[in-house]
Amino acid sequence: MYDEERQTFSFIAGLALGTLVGASVALLMAPQSGRRTRRRLSRAAEEFTDEARDRFEDASDDVRRAAKEAVRAAERGRERIRDKVRRGVSTNDR
């Protein structure tokens, strides 16, 4: 599950970065003033940063939830093993 999420996040990050680079190149090649180009690049970079931050926070939340669930599953498994060991010991004691 973790590898799938990591691959998805990497794909989205690569797509976003490619979009930003493509937009930047398009803006640099467009016939407009330098000030306007810099302003548009700045806005695009801010939007990319905000989107990347949101995606990172979402991915971090997903990883935290998965880690908590893994800990709970391990605790349940450990408790089942303890119960089986106790039952085995008490059965052998009789």
Side-chain angles (χ1 to χ4, degrees):
M1 184 167 122
Y2 176 71
D3 286 336
E4 254 180 53
E5 289 175 1
R6 199 166 102 193
Q7 288 176 345
T8 301
F9 179 73
S10 294
F11 174 77
I12 291 170
L15 185 64
L17 182 59
T19 301
L20 179 64
V21 169
S24 299
V25 169
L27 288 173
L28 290 172
M29 302 304 285
Q32 56 187 330
S33 72
R35 176 182 288 159
R36 187 172 180 191
T37 299
R38 286 189 299 275
R39 196 172 359 163
R40 291 179 97 184
L41 284 172
S42 178
R43 280 190 209 132
E46 286 175 20
E47 289 173 8
F48 172 75
T49 302
D50 291 342
E51 182 67 22
R53 185 179 304 118
D54 291 344
R55 298 286 181 188
F56 179 78
E57 288 171 1
D58 291 346
S60 295
D61 291 342
D62 291 344
V63 168
R64 277 191 214 100
R65 275 192 292 275
K68 285 180 183 179
E69 182 55 35
V71 168
R72 283 191 289 259
E75 289 171 354
R76 286 191 302 267
R78 187 173 32 240
E79 191 58 38
R80 278 188 238 150
I81 291 170
R82 284 183 189 148
D83 287 344
K84 288 182 185 212
V85 168
R86 284 185 201 131
R87 277 189 250 133
V89 169
S90 63
T91 303
N92 291 332
D93 287 343
R94 292 183 186 183

